Amino acid sequence: YRLSIKQISSGELARIAKDARPMEGMWEDEGRSIYVNKSLSQKAKRQVFLHELQHALVDIAEWERQP
């Protein structure tokens, strides 16, 4: 599987998520992309990336189970 990892602004994140609440990151399964808020510290970006990667791995495991 190929995943995209992108650092984007909070405004772009809100637009993609269709949610006005502040977000640090998100996993978008249709586009197979992990988005991380680029305004975060390096440590926070790493934590958010790992969190979103867990969501991606759960989805990939589900895809593997499908016939």
Side-chain angles (χ1 to χ4, degrees):
Y1 295 98
R2 181 171 288 190
L3 309 177
S4 296
I5 303 156
K6 301 174 183 174
Q7 294 184 55
I8 61 175
S9 70
S10 58
E12 290 172 296
L13 196 52
R15 183 182 54 76
I16 292 167
K18 297 179 180 143
D19 191 335
R21 293 176 294 172
M23 300 178 73
E24 294 182 334
M26 69 174 280
W27 159 244
E28 197 270 309
D29 63 334
E30 287 183 24
R32 297 184 180 180
S33 297
I34 292 174
Y35 298 101
V36 178
N37 187 326
K38 68 181 179 181
S39 68
L40 301 174
S41 69
Q42 285 301 110
K43 182 177 180 180
K45 286 178 188 176
R46 188 171 36 256
Q47 291 170 336
V48 170
F49 166 72
L50 292 173
H51 174 86
E52 299 305 334
L53 182 59
Q54 289 174 331
H55 289 295
L57 292 172
V58 168
D59 283 350
I60 290 169
E62 287 294 321
W63 300 338
E64 291 288 323
R65 286 191 207 111
Q66 294 177 1

